[in-house]
Amino acid sequence: PLPSQTSPSLCLPSSPPSCSAMAMARHCLLASLPAFFFTLLLHLHLVSAQERISGSAGDVLEDDPFGRLKVFVYELPSKYNKKVLERDRRCVSHMFATEIFVHEFLLTSPVRTLNPEEADWFYTPVYTTCDLTPNGLPLPFKSPRMMRSAIQFISKQWPYWNRTEGADHFFVVPHDFGACFHYQEEKAIERGVLHVLQRATLVQTFGQRYHLCLNEGSIIIPPYAPPQKMQMHLIPPSTPRSIFVYFRGLFYDKGNDPEGGYYARGARAAIWENFKDNLLFDISTDHPATYYEDMQRAIFCLCPLGWAPWSPRLVEGVIFGCIPVIIADDIVLPFADAIPWEEIGVFVEEKDVPNLDTILTSIPPDVILRKQRLLANPAMKQAMLFPQPVQPGDAFHQILNGLARKLPHDKSVYLEPGQTILNWTAGPSGDLKPW
């Protein structure tokens, strides 16, 4: 039970013997906070109301894409998709699994057309992220050759790529830095977006303003988080949110950044150095079995950048009603025209991480409560997930909405006979080798 609002100086009930001294101290600190904090906790414990997203964002979130576009799905040799997946079934549960599930969705979707002459968009199902190390990390180094090979195939088998050099085609590229195909930013920038994809619409998790790896017109999507697994870990919504700030993950990546400071641009290191002993912050590198449950007991969940600005914590925060604290300068967030991130989240600049405690404790309770009500909206949660079977308003439908809003294509995207724009010999020499 929560302490009485009239007794803010009391500690929360004693923790069981298995609890750490740090956890006990954290409970006592929460109990010593001003009375308004207990008012907040009490409301978060009792509130079950939800709030509809107002204005254009709410309208976009509830859009129905069916009847607004038609998509032709290229039939590729199985070496580009099915056989890749057969070699490693781990790919269906990885946070980059979106490329697989979008393919499966489109094969049975009402927007699919078998007549390419009536298509608004063309989709090439190539699984470029399904090449995993023994410990499950994706290796993007073959991806450029694989993608080039697939495009060469469709350009020879059908006339549609050559009409626009990809301007009416879309590709799902859920790598850390999208179609730059590298997990380290410096090398991703050096490589740049694969040249043969420069005219295509890229559906990608990576989004950062003014960045070389984000083409204008790209559709930013959430990373894949397994809906069934998350469903299994739901706890009663009446459970008190007794954790103020929560985070589990790396603070340093000594394997790839031994000197420190480059990983997460130093933001994660700053979180640890400044708040590892702050009892308001439940932060650790441990990843407990109760991770999902703990997020549902927290008010704020930190979502700092890692090697890339995005992470699955954005999805998890929305699903579990934990206010995402977004620490990633210039990030472009998923479905930003449908999800009002400014209203549901808290944005903290990387340089301000040392002041994180002051920033979060200064947010008025009524502001926090409204963010919680918005996060409770089922439409918001649905838009962040790729469920099987699909459901109205889910992330698959938000992708289609994004494609539909780009129609009709401008006549200028269609090339004159014999006209070419793309340079097939551009890029690192290793990318030009046959796949």
Side-chain angles (χ1 to χ4, degrees), residues 15-294:
S15 301
S18 60
C19 285
S20 67
M22 176 70 83
M24 280 288 293
R26 183 176 291 115
H27 286 314
C28 288
L29 177 66
L30 290 179
S32 68
L33 287 175
F36 88 84
F37 185 74
F38 288 111
T39 304
L40 171 63
L41 285 179
L42 184 61
H43 277 84
L44 291 177
H45 176 47
L46 298 176
V47 69
S48 59
Q50 54 184 263
E51 185 170 330
R52 184 188 181 275
I53 311 304
S54 61
S56 60
D59 296 337
V60 169
L61 189 64
E62 297 170 6
D63 272 354
D64 184 351
F66 297 134
R68 299 168 58 205
L69 76 166
K70 293 182 179 181
V71 177
F72 180 76
V73 179
Y74 286 117
E75 187 170 340
L76 300 185
S78 59
K79 69 176 184 177
Y80 292 104
N81 39 63
K82 294 178 182 177
K83 285 189 176 179
V84 175
L85 182 56
E86 288 172 1
R87 286 198 299 268
D88 197 335
R89 292 295 303 177
R90 293 178 300 167
C91 295
V92 297
S93 57
H94 201 280
M95 63 180 175
F96 295 157
T98 314
E99 60 186 2
I100 298 168
F101 291 116
V102 167
H103 182 200
E104 293 180 356
F105 162 68
L106 287 172
L107 290 177
T108 59
S109 172
V111 305
R112 184 187 182 189
T113 178
L114 300 179
N115 179 7
E117 290 296 332
E118 66 177 19
D120 300 297
W121 288 99
F122 296 82
Y123 167 66
T124 308
V126 51
Y127 300 169
T128 58
T129 64
C130 189
D131 183 12
L132 305 180
T133 65
N135 61 354
L137 298 176
L139 294 171
F141 308 119
K142 298 177 184 176
S143 302
R145 289 188 290 134
M146 186 180 186
M147 184 67 81
R148 283 172 56 89
S149 175
I151 294 173
Q152 286 172 334
F153 178 82
I154 63 172
S155 68
K156 291 175 181 177
Q157 296 293 321
W158 292 273
Y160 307 105
W161 172 272
N162 299 317
R163 293 188 315 187
T164 65
E165 288 197 323
D168 54 357
H169 289 55
F170 69 94
F171 295 81
V172 180
V173 283
H175 283 274
D176 286 300
F177 288 94
C180 285
F181 295 124
H182 208 287
Y183 58 85
Q184 291 184 337
E185 184 173 21
E186 185 176 308
K187 294 180 179 178
I189 291 173
E190 182 181 329
R191 173 184 291 281
V193 172
L194 188 66
H195 196 75
V196 293
L197 292 177
Q198 289 287 357
R199 287 173 59 81
T201 290
L202 302 180
V203 178
Q204 60 185 60
T205 45
F206 173 75
Q208 183 174 318
R209 289 187 293 272
Y210 324 117
H211 200 284
L212 191 66
C213 297
L214 178 63
N215 279 358
E216 184 178 356
S218 296
I219 296 174
I220 309 303
I221 61 173
Y224 177 76
Q228 290 82 359
K229 181 179 178 182
M230 300 176 86
Q231 181 74 26
M232 289 170 54
H233 288 268
L234 290 176
I235 62 177
S238 59
T239 304
R241 291 189 178 268
S242 56
I243 301 171
F244 192 61
V245 180
Y246 187 75
F247 175 79
R248 290 294 184 273
L250 290 178
F251 298 99
Y252 302 91
D253 186 347
K254 294 182 179 178
N256 294 297
D257 182 26
E259 297 181 5
Y262 184 67
Y263 175 62
R265 296 197 283 260
R268 291 198 186 199
I271 292 171
W272 178 250
E273 297 301 332
N274 284 278
F275 303 110
K276 59 186 176 184
D277 297 321
N278 187 315
L279 300 180
L280 285 177
F281 284 68
D282 190 345
I283 60 176
S284 171
T285 56
D286 296 335
H287 202 287
T290 57
Y291 174 69
Y292 284 156
E293 288 83 355
D294 292 344

Side-chain angles (χ1 to χ4, degrees), residues 48 62 93 171 205 218 306-307 360 371 373 393 405 415 422:
S48 59
E62 297 170 6
S93 57
F171 295 81
T205 45
S218 296
W307 283 112
L360 296 180
K371 291 180 186 294
R373 289 196 301 271
R405 286 192 289 274
L415 305 181
L422 299 178

Side-chain angles (χ1 to χ4, degrees), residues 176-177 206-208 265 303-311 314 327-328 331:
D176 286 300
F177 288 94
F206 173 75
Q208 183 174 318
R265 296 197 283 260
C303 301
L305 74 162
W307 283 112
W310 59 271
S311 86
L314 291 168
I327 307 169
I331 188 172

Side-chain angles (χ1 to χ4, degrees), residues 222-235 237 241 292 295-298 301 303 312-324 339 341 344 372 374-387 391 393-395:
Y224 177 76
Q228 290 82 359
K229 181 179 178 182
M230 300 176 86
Q231 181 74 26
M232 289 170 54
H233 288 268
L234 290 176
I235 62 177
R241 291 189 178 268
Y292 284 156
M295 292 189 83
Q296 294 168 78
R297 296 186 181 98
C301 288
C303 301
R313 294 177 189 84
L314 291 168
V315 179
E316 295 161 352
V318 172
I319 298 304
F320 294 132
C322 186
I323 297 170
I339 296 178
W341 290 100
I344 66 172
Q372 291 282 353
L374 289 170
L375 284 168
N377 188 322
M380 184 97 65
K381 302 177 189 297
Q382 192 80 299
M384 297 294 285
L385 293 175
F386 295 92
Q391 299 175 16
D394 62 18

